Amino acid sequence: MCKCSFVRGALVALVLMAHARAQEYTVDDPTGDVVFNGVRSTDVSLIFDDSEIVVNPGDQLNLDCGVHGQSRYCIWESESGQILQVEDVYSNVFDGVSKPVNTVGNECGIVINSADIGHHGQWTCKVFVVGKSLVGTKNVIVTIKPTSPILEVDSSRGLVVTNEDETPVKCSVAAARPAVGIRWYLGDRDITVSAETEETPTDKGGIYKSVSTLRRTFQPSENGQLLTCSVTHKTLPVPENTSIALNVVFKPVEKPVSTFYQIRPGNDYEVKLNFSANPAPIRKEWRYGKSFENVEGSISIPGSDGHYRADIEDLGNGMYTAKLLVTGFTEADANKNYLLVVENDYGETQYKVKLSMHEAPKDTLSGGAVAGIIIVLLIVVAAVGAAGYARYRQMFCFAPLATPDPEEAKDTREEHDTESARGTSTSHAANLKNRLGQLTQVFKKPKKDHDMKQDETEKKSLTKDEHNKGSPFKEQSPNEKEVVYAELDLGKGEPEKKTEVKAEDKTEYAQIVGTITDNREEEKKE
């Protein structure tokens, strides 16, 4: 009995170990599709890309599937239920299916030499390992060429739109797999941004109907241009287009007052004024008088009254040139104002015209140029203000250093020597005073040459007086002319004010050296 129990325990342990080495797992793709659903051992894993494949009928279809580790065999299964064993495919058992050129990391891959509609749908690679299997699935789309695009307009009249209202225009493709891409063009300009496309599945086989709706307000200048619906698809080597001419209807377009200059008296002069209107004008005439409101006469186009002769030229595409010939131009003609009145089915427009014997005025700055100049001036003012602020704060390296002032230098040296005598307890106040002195120095005006010379004369006089009184300052030897050293007496009495000495007609700055120890010894002697 003991031996049998031991054998049964050993068998149970072996089963548990085998179960631990082969665990069932499921890996979900972020899109929600199941990528793997099978068994993975610690030594075997599936190499599989679940990306969708789009292939045209007649093209080669590559179904890749690989495995890390040892496997027994593998198969491919289509959505329609067709099963292809990979070993049979590699042995050329199936027609139209072959072994891939590269089988490294693609040990279970197969190649369908010519895809057709029957290969459309999901394909599953299943790899059998010890005890279980590894599974990967991907979607294969076998394309269907789209039907021809159709513009849903009355082609007999063309596309008639007004320049004041938004007009919807539709372009549709009845069927395609996968759905087509639709873009809109007006002439050479891409205007797809004004369109929305709706894709509707027509069956469960992945065939879609696509309808793109363009909503846009067309301008008179766009009259006569081609509006194109362009369809792209994987089955089309080049986009398939359908176009229609744009017929924009509008009343005659308004214009500012037109003035014609340098007209010579006594000569015939012809006024030519361009305008646009669609449809063609049904009434057009010239009017003239002392003002635009007070009309003295009118001339129908075409027409003539002896002194004036009117005509019109059709330039096509809604463009016209109205002409008025003045025979024997006089000053009286220059004193009149002229009106060209044009009317069509969508409204009436009056064009104002003036004739002048003077030269045309010189071009003046446009509003855009004036605005540009103002902007540049504002930038310059801002830059100057920023530079002034930087100078005030001494923020940048180009901030000017303050010109040394002898009086402030003396105060600073005195403060420094006093601080050295007192110790570090007063260093903060002295540093603050020095900084304030540097800040105020920025705004001090530089001394004139006369004042600088006067200060230098005073310094020289002071130096001579100090020597006569037996100053404690010690001068350098004649051989050392670059720097003159002096000792500062920190004993009783007021400190000496000597700051400079003269050597060989040259102003030299003195270096102040504190000698606290010597002063104390003198006090002891006293």
Side-chain angles (χ1 to χ4, degrees):
M1 291 295 293
C2 294
K3 292 182 178 181
C4 293
S5 299
F6 176 77
V7 171
R8 282 197 297 269
L11 291 175
V12 171
L14 290 174
V15 171
L16 292 175
M17 290 176 62
H19 181 71
R21 294 193 59 180
Q23 299 175 349
E24 185 174 356
Y25 73 98
T26 299
V27 179
D28 293 334
D29 182 79
T31 59
D33 297 331
V34 175
V35 179
F36 308 132
N37 187 8
V39 174
R40 175 176 181 173
S41 71
T42 55
D43 299 326
V44 182
S45 61
L46 189 66
I47 304 172
F48 193 81
D49 182 6
D50 66 332
S51 300
E52 187 176 76
I53 298 177
V54 180
V55 61
N56 293 331
D59 291 349
Q60 180 176 283
L61 173 59
N62 296 303
L63 297 175
D64 297 337
C65 183
V67 59
H68 280 301
Q70 295 294 326
S71 63
R72 292 184 173 180
Y73 66 96
C74 42
I75 64 172
W76 278 93
E77 183 176 359
S78 69
E79 185 175 346
S80 61
Q82 180 184 10
I83 297 177
L84 300 174
Q85 293 191 30
V86 174
E87 291 184 359
D88 293 342
V89 171
Y90 290 1
S91 300
N92 298 322
V93 174
F94 300 102
D95 293 334
V97 187
S98 60
K99 179 180 179 180
V101 175
N102 181 19
T103 57
V104 177
N106 189 30
E107 292 77 9
C108 297
I110 61 173
V111 176
I112 297 176
N113 299 330
S114 180
D116 57 34
I117 300 298
H119 297 132
H120 176 81
Q122 283 192 345
W123 282 81
T124 302
C125 174
K126 186 176 293 186
V127 180
F128 293 91
V129 297
V130 176
K132 298 291 182 179
S133 62
L134 306 176
V135 179
T137 302
K138 68 170 57 184
N139 191 39
V140 175
I141 297 177
V142 179
T143 62
I144 295 178
K145 186 177 180 179
T147 58
S148 298
I150 298 175
L151 282 170
E152 299 179 8
V153 297
D154 186 358
S155 57
S156 61
R157 295 182 53 207
L159 179 58
V160 181
V161 298
T162 65
N163 69 318
E164 297 178 351
D165 302 323
E166 183 180 84
T167 304
V169 185
K170 292 185 177 182
C171 178
S172 62
V173 175
R177 188 170 68 191
V180 298
I182 300 178
R183 303 197 70 83
W184 290 89
Y185 295 90
L186 183 59
D188 296 331
R189 289 182 295 141
D190 189 333
I191 58 173
T192 311
V193 67
S194 301
E196 295 180 355
T197 301
E198 181 181 1
E199 299 172 352
T200 305
T202 59
D203 60 7
K204 296 181 179 180
I207 299 176
Y208 288 88
K209 176 182 179 180
S210 300
V211 179
S212 180
T213 304
L214 176 70
R215 291 181 174 86
R216 193 173 188 275
T217 301
F218 297 93
Q219 302 302 317
S221 59
E222 297 168 346
N223 180 48
Q225 295 187 18
L226 284 179
L227 180 65
T228 302
C229 171
S230 181
V231 173
T232 57
H233 193 259
K234 185 174 177 61
T235 61
L236 301 175
V238 294
E240 185 173 352
N241 301 331
T242 180
S243 303
I244 192 169
L246 197 62
N247 184 15
V248 184
V249 293
F250 51 92
K251 76 172 189 176
V253 179
E254 296 181 356
K255 296 178 65 175
V257 178
S258 300
T259 304
F260 297 84
Y261 293 96
Q262 295 180 325
I263 303 176
R264 294 181 180 181
N267 296 334
D268 294 346
Y269 185 80
E270 187 177 46
V271 178
K272 293 183 178 181
L273 183 67
N274 295 326
F275 68 92
S276 58
N278 189 37
I282 56 177
R283 184 171 68 92
K284 44 193 182 296
E285 66 178 12
W286 281 101
R287 298 174 184 175
Y288 56 89
K290 292 183 178 180
S291 66
F292 292 117
E293 291 77 18
N294 298 324
V295 178
E296 298 178 1
S298 63
I299 308 169
S300 297
I301 302 176
S304 174
D305 67 353
H307 186 57
Y308 299 105
R309 186 171 64 192
D311 200 357
I312 193 170
E313 181 181 359
D314 187 351
L315 304 177
N317 196 30
M319 300 295 297
Y320 301 88
T321 299
K323 301 177 181 180
L324 178 65
L325 178 63
V326 182
T327 305
F329 188 85
T330 64
E331 186 176 354
D333 296 322
N335 294 330
K336 294 179 182 179
N337 293 325
Y338 300 83
L339 276 177
L340 172 63
V341 181
V342 182
E343 180 184 2
N344 67 0
D345 295 336
Y346 290 88
E348 176 186 290
T349 301
Q350 295 183 354
Y351 300 96
K352 297 179 180 181
V353 176
K354 291 184 177 182
L355 305 180
S356 174
M357 295 184 296
H358 302 291
E359 293 184 358
K362 296 181 179 180
D363 293 337
T364 57
L365 291 177
S366 64
V370 173
I373 293 174
I374 293 175
I375 292 174
V376 171
L377 290 177
L378 290 176
I379 293 174
V380 171
V381 171
V384 171
Y389 179 76
R391 176 187 177 89
Y392 169 73
R393 298 298 300 272
Q394 294 187 350
M395 296 172 62
F396 303 109
C397 60
F398 57 77
L401 295 174
T403 304
D405 190 296
E407 295 297 330
E408 291 195 3
K410 177 191 69 175
D411 296 341
T412 304
R413 288 194 294 270
E414 290 176 358
E415 184 68 17
H416 174 71
D417 296 336
T418 304
E419 183 180 332
S420 300
R422 294 177 182 174
T424 59
S425 60
T426 60
S427 60
H428 178 71
N431 290 335
L432 179 60
K433 180 178 179 181
N434 291 338
R435 292 178 182 176
L436 292 176
Q438 293 176 1
L439 179 61
T440 56
Q441 192 66 29
V442 176
F443 302 96
K444 286 190 176 182
K445 297 182 178 179
K447 292 186 177 182
K448 298 182 178 179
D449 295 340
H450 176 72
D451 297 337
M452 295 297 291
K453 291 180 179 178
Q454 184 176 357
D455 292 344
E456 185 176 354
T457 303
E458 292 176 357
K459 293 174 185 177
K460 294 178 180 178
S461 177
L462 178 62
T463 304
K464 293 179 180 179
D465 293 342
E466 295 292 348
H467 278 290
N468 295 334
K469 293 179 182 179
S471 171
F473 287 87
K474 296 179 181 181
E475 190 175 311
Q476 275 186 300
S477 64
N479 295 330
E480 298 177 357
K481 298 178 182 180
E482 294 300 325
V483 181
V484 177
Y485 294 91
E487 293 183 354
L488 176 64
D489 188 359
L490 299 179
K492 294 180 180 181
E494 295 181 357
E496 298 292 341
K497 297 183 178 180
K498 180 178 178 181
T499 57
E500 295 181 356
V501 295
K502 181 178 179 184
E504 295 181 358
D505 297 331
K506 177 180 178 182
T507 302
E508 299 183 357
Y509 290 89
Q511 180 174 353
I512 309 303
V513 180
T515 55
I516 299 176
T517 305
D518 295 340
N519 293 338
R520 291 179 180 176
E521 291 178 357
E522 291 178 3
E523 289 178 359
K524 289 179 181 181
K525 292 178 181 180
E526 292 178 0

